[in-house]
Amino acid sequence: MTTDLERDAHGNAAKVTVTTEGDRRTFRTVTENKYGTSDSDQRLGRLTATTVTHTRRKSSETADKALKAVRKSAFAYHGQAGCTGGRAAHAGLLCREVVEPDHERLKVTTTHGYDAFGNRVRSKVEYFDDVPVPGQAAPTGTARTKTRCDNDMVAYGSQGRFVKARFDCDGRKLSEVRARDAHGSPTEVRRFLDKA
């Protein structure tokens, strides 16, 4: 296995190529990354897009006959166009991740929310759903976009330092820290089990 790494002027991984050869086959994964346009985005390594290309080729095949799969993702940060709802203190924190942004039917969008301290407390996931419910017409238009986890899943203490409680995607409490030692490690945790 060999790994080739190309870095940009700020030391960010611009292109990573991993090649594995064996059993008369060559497997190659090429990851190409793009970072923000501002100098600070590049210095801080704020990834804006990544493309991962997987190829598998038998030694008897030409390059154009190799099996190929390409996956893309895009990223946006608070303080940039298209990211609303964050506070000024959230500038630069990850706002949105989009897997397969160019394919409406495959696209999965995760939008992150933060508390006043910058702790990530919410990660809302939206995806395309065209699977019809038996006995109902297939969904159309915006009805095809489904959402899950549109609520806070973590609650922090009043100083924003330690996790106080965790919740599931439906907002039900999963656990709650009842006591901590002098170093902040939980010593008593109450867990809530779903008995349904």
Side-chain angles (χ1 to χ4, degrees):
M1 181 172 83
T2 60
T3 302
D4 295 317
L5 175 62
E6 296 176 25
R7 296 184 182 273
D8 65 14
H10 296 280
N12 299 311
K15 184 175 182 180
V16 181
T17 304
V18 178
T19 306
T20 305
E21 295 179 314
D23 196 26
R24 297 188 310 267
R25 290 186 175 92
T26 300
F27 301 89
R28 181 170 286 129
T29 301
V30 179
T31 304
E32 297 176 275
N33 298 316
K34 293 183 181 175
Y35 298 87
T37 56
S38 74
D39 185 61
S40 65
D41 284 345
Q42 292 175 6
R43 277 187 292 116
L44 295 171
R46 289 195 183 117
L47 189 63
T48 56
T50 188
T51 302
V52 181
T53 305
H54 301 275
T55 56
R56 184 184 78 188
R57 185 174 75 156
K58 294 179 183 177
S59 59
S60 61
E61 295 176 324
T62 59
D64 61 322
K65 299 290 184 191
L67 294 174
K68 183 183 280 190
V70 179
R71 301 287 181 257
K72 294 182 179 182
S73 294
F75 307 89
Y77 300 85
H78 284 287
Q80 296 177 342
C83 283
T84 60
R87 301 174 183 189
H90 297 159
L93 295 177
L94 184 63
C95 164
R96 184 174 39 256
E97 308 170 49
V98 184
V99 177
E100 293 300 338
D102 301 330
H103 300 284
E104 197 62 36
R105 295 172 64 96
L106 301 176
K107 181 164 60 171
V108 177
T109 302
T110 304
T111 305
H112 301 290
Y114 301 87
D115 66 11
F117 297 97
N119 298 310
R120 184 185 302 174
V121 295
R122 174 184 302 229
S123 293
K124 178 176 81 170
V125 179
E126 296 174 292
Y127 58 96
F128 184 84
D129 182 14
D130 63 348
V131 178
V133 175
Q136 295 182 9
T140 59
T142 57
R144 291 178 165 203
T145 300
K146 301 293 182 189
T147 301
R148 67 180 174 88
C149 296
D150 191 13
N151 58 291
D152 290 355
M153 296 185 63
V154 180
Y156 286 83
S158 61
Q159 295 179 344
R161 188 171 175 196
F162 300 113
V163 172
K164 181 172 64 177
R166 294 189 183 276
F167 304 87
D168 68 9
C169 281
D170 294 322
R172 297 173 295 202
K173 189 180 285 187
L174 296 174
S175 66
E176 177 180 64
V177 177
R178 306 299 290 272
R180 294 184 182 277
D181 65 17
H183 303 288
S185 297
T187 57
E188 183 184 343
V189 178
R190 184 173 181 201
R191 302 197 189 281
F192 302 88
L193 299 176
D194 184 7
K195 297 178 182 173

